[in-house]
Amino acid sequence: MLQALRGMKDLIDDGEKFNYFVKTAENVAKKYGFSFVETPILEETSLYIRSVGESSDIVGKEMYRFEDKGGNDVSMRPEGTAGVVRAFVEKKLDRKGGLNRFYYCGPMFRYERPQKGRLRQFHQFGIESFGEESVYEDAAVITLAKNIFDDLGIGCELQLNSLGCKECMPTYRETLVSFLRSHQDKICDDCKKRTETNPIRTLDCKNSECQNIYVDAPKITDNLCQNCDTDFEKLKKLLEASNIEFSINKNLVRGLDYYNKTAFEFVSKEIGAQSAIAGGGRYDKLVEYLDGKETPAVGFAIGIERIFPLFEKKDESLNKFYIGAMDEKYTDTSFILAVDLRRENEVTFEPKTKSLKSHLKGADKVGAKYCCVIGENEGQNNEIWVKDLEAKEEKVIKQEDLKGLIG
Ligand code: HAM
């Protein structure tokens, strides 16, 4: 039997839940002034090398990368930010200036070892905000994410860090590298490699022996320049004032290379080892790295499959009708009534003629509130039998009054 590839899943049971999430998230994003953007799944590989970074696991080990029939080196997007920045620059929005706020939703691809909460094809809902350098935008982006989780009834913890800027990061990097070099004999092979390629990433190594050593490692938040420090303090104040709880995680470095200043993740204790349900931060240099005019930017992405276990789809407030006939003569009439009702309501139309008892069973099965059936008597008088299955009341009404039954 043919099966989906390892680490890839059909959205077949959760399709409606997926849509419910997207609608909820979109609703919040729109209130913050974000508009929808869609970029291609396939991009030139160099886009990801120049943004996410060659030394990151995502680019170094996990990309679905191949040569297309035209001999081009292409990759399936492992994340959404790079593509949106490419589109932003290509459309010359960096030259126009002003604020540009986008949200997107779609599949991402990472050739990782699949496990609970970790897929090779997964979906992200992401937002990217361009043009605002003040920390108010960082705070707005974080409250936006929190509002989405609140609307879904998801409890989670916000972890925050600052990664500094081009003023303070290089000096800190050197301090960290000398610390790491002085512990080379005790740290894992990955960290040894990273000491030279991407020292900051050592800080979130999963090896507990490394972590014991890094307790004493210099921390970026203790080495921020005046400007970064002021912004970080201001961000904390804004979040506190907005009643957003957070903790500072000095080892939060993110797996993508483009971040500076604010970095954050939302984590849930209820879903096992892959606990990050959203991640993001500021990336003020990325537009410039991708040949655009320097533009401050900040954003995040939520892992949709990761949050599936954490929320239920709320029943939409549409009234549910079930409608059918007991005699073939009246099936067309019930079909036409269904078409009309569907302008405002959710309707299950039953094309087979059945006994009243079977129709009631059918209505029950689809969870309808109203079971509407045209029998012989009703049909002759242009009437219809209606039972309110919640109130357990039944009556016969004129067919033309069916639409006015509620409200
Ligand atoms: P990221 O932290 O790599 O950030 O991914 C964001 C979220 O996607 C994660 O927190 C997680 O919930 C989900 N995720 C990542 N990998 C997988 C996987 N293999 N299976 C299931 N879910 C996964 C980014 O991608 C950045 N582009 C976010 C961003 C936007 N930063 C600024 N703007």
Side-chain angles (χ1 to χ4, degrees):
M1 197 189 21
L2 286 172
Q3 287 184 340
L5 294 173
R6 196 162 123 77
M8 306 209 171
K9 268 193 181 163
D10 301 307
L11 270 173
I12 188 161
D13 294 329
D14 287 329
E16 283 304 311
K17 196 169 173 179
F18 182 90
N19 271 346
Y20 172 74
F21 163 78
V22 177
K23 269 192 218 151
T24 309
E26 267 183 332
N27 247 330
V28 179
K30 289 212 166 100
K31 287 183 193 149
Y32 278 77
F34 284 73
S35 48
F36 182 67
V37 68
E38 169 101 27
T39 63
I41 285 170
L42 216 51
E43 296 267 6
E44 264 182 54
T45 298
S46 61
L47 170 64
Y48 301 111
I49 293 179
R50 288 169 61 186
S51 55
V52 177
E54 202 152 25
S55 65
S56 68
D57 285 351
I58 297 178
V59 169
K61 303 182 191 162
E62 298 168 358
M63 283 217 293
Y64 280 85
R65 176 176 182 177
F66 57 94
E67 199 182 286
D68 72 7
K69 287 191 178 20
N72 305 298
D73 182 357
V74 295
S75 290
M76 288 163 80
R77 64 179 180 199
E79 59 103 51
T81 310
V84 175
V85 174
R86 198 245 336 113
F88 175 81
V89 175
E90 191 172 334
K91 193 92 181 100
K92 299 193 169 53
L93 297 175
D94 54 329
R95 311 265 147 202
K96 281 199 188 129
L99 292 177
N100 285 280
R101 298 190 173 104
F102 300 108
Y103 72 87
Y104 53 89
C105 181
M108 308 293 159
F109 303 84
R110 295 184 193 175
Y111 198 85
E112 296 192 77
R113 197 172 52 74
Q115 64 178 80
K116 189 172 166 233
R118 198 204 271 152
L119 294 161
R120 287 181 174 168
Q121 178 177 339
F122 59 97
H123 293 80
Q124 283 185 347
F125 179 91
I127 66 125
E128 312 296 350
S129 166
F130 297 97
E132 180 55 68
E133 66 179 342
S134 89
V135 79
Y136 286 100
E137 195 66 4
D138 309 44
V141 156
I142 290 173
T143 56
L144 193 169
K146 183 69 169 66
N147 287 357
I148 295 176
F149 294 134
D150 285 349
D151 282 2
L152 295 166
I154 295 177
C156 52
E157 190 199 321
L158 168 63
Q159 297 186 354
L160 207 59
N161 197 14
S162 173
L163 299 175
C165 66
K166 65 175 190 313
E167 297 297 319
C168 44
M169 182 44 109
T171 332
Y172 166 70
R173 209 181 146 106
E174 273 172 34
T175 321
L176 181 64
V177 169
S178 31
F179 172 87
L180 293 169
R181 287 203 181 123
S182 67
H183 290 84
Q184 286 291 291
D185 48 332
K186 289 174 238 123
I187 61 180
C188 73
D189 286 347
D190 266 354
C191 283
K192 271 183 206 147
K193 249 185 262 154
R194 283 185 177 141
T195 302
E196 307 309 322
T197 58
N198 197 349
I200 314 297
R201 278 311 304 277
T202 56
L203 295 177
D204 77 346
C205 175
K206 300 287 172 281
N207 185 314
S208 56
E209 278 167 43
C210 292
Q211 277 309 330
N212 287 339
I213 294 164
Y214 301 154
V215 171
D216 298 323
K219 298 291 186 299
I220 176 72
T221 41
D222 303 326
N223 290 274
L224 294 175
C225 62
Q226 188 61 50
N227 184 355
C228 287
D229 192 50
T230 311
D231 276 352
F232 195 41
E233 289 308 312
K234 175 84 182 171
L235 175 61
K236 289 192 256 179
K237 281 219 179 76
L238 288 174
L239 293 175
E240 272 159 18
S242 317
N243 290 321
I244 310 261
E245 282 178 32
F246 60 86
S247 60
I248 304 297
N249 178 353
K250 295 185 177 193
N251 289 342
L252 177 70
V253 292
R254 312 276 302 124
L256 310 95
D257 286 354
Y258 46 65
Y259 293 108
N260 66 305
K261 290 193 165 181
T262 310
F264 64 90
E265 281 184 359
F266 283 87
V267 293
S268 162
K269 292 196 186 85
E270 293 163 46
I271 48 171
Q274 301 306 313
S275 60
I277 56 175
R282 187 163 268 285
Y283 52 94
D284 294 331
K285 292 280 156 227
L286 187 54
V287 174
E288 205 181 343
Y289 286 160
L290 297 179
D291 305 327
K293 188 174 157 213
E294 187 172 351
T295 308
V298 56
F300 70 78
I302 297 175
I304 305 182
E305 284 84 357
R306 289 231 178 130
I307 60 166
F308 269 169
L310 298 172
F311 75 96
E312 290 304 329
K313 173 177 178 283
K314 276 198 211 118
D315 238 357
E316 262 128 36
S317 54
L318 286 182
N319 284 295
K320 280 194 189 164
F321 283 75
Y322 169 102
I323 186 161
M326 289 165 67
D327 189 299
E328 220 178 312
K329 287 202 290 280
Y330 304 118
T331 308
D332 286 6
T333 310
S334 57
F335 175 78
I336 292 157
L337 286 170
V339 170
D340 207 24
L341 272 176
R342 279 194 185 113
R343 289 174 194 273
E344 306 277 346
N345 310 283
E346 183 182 334
V347 182
T348 302
F349 163 69
E350 174 52 67
K352 285 199 197 83
T353 52
K354 292 181 178 183
S355 69
L356 188 60
K357 206 171 148 199
S358 305
H359 276 310
L360 278 164
K361 253 196 206 155
D364 201 42
K365 207 168 152 194
V366 297
K369 176 166 160 62
Y370 297 104
C371 176
C372 314
V373 179
I374 309 180
E376 186 57 39
N377 284 347
E378 292 85 14
Q380 277 179 10
N381 299 319
N382 294 329
E383 290 173 337
I384 186 162
W385 178 88
V386 181
K387 180 163 183 181
D388 180 331
L389 297 171
E390 282 167 18
K392 304 213 175 350
E393 284 165 11
E394 51 183 270
K395 54 187 168 187
V396 173
I397 59 169
K398 284 282 172 206
Q399 286 167 10
E400 67 204 41
D401 293 337
L402 188 58
K403 253 185 13 185
L405 192 67
I406 9 143

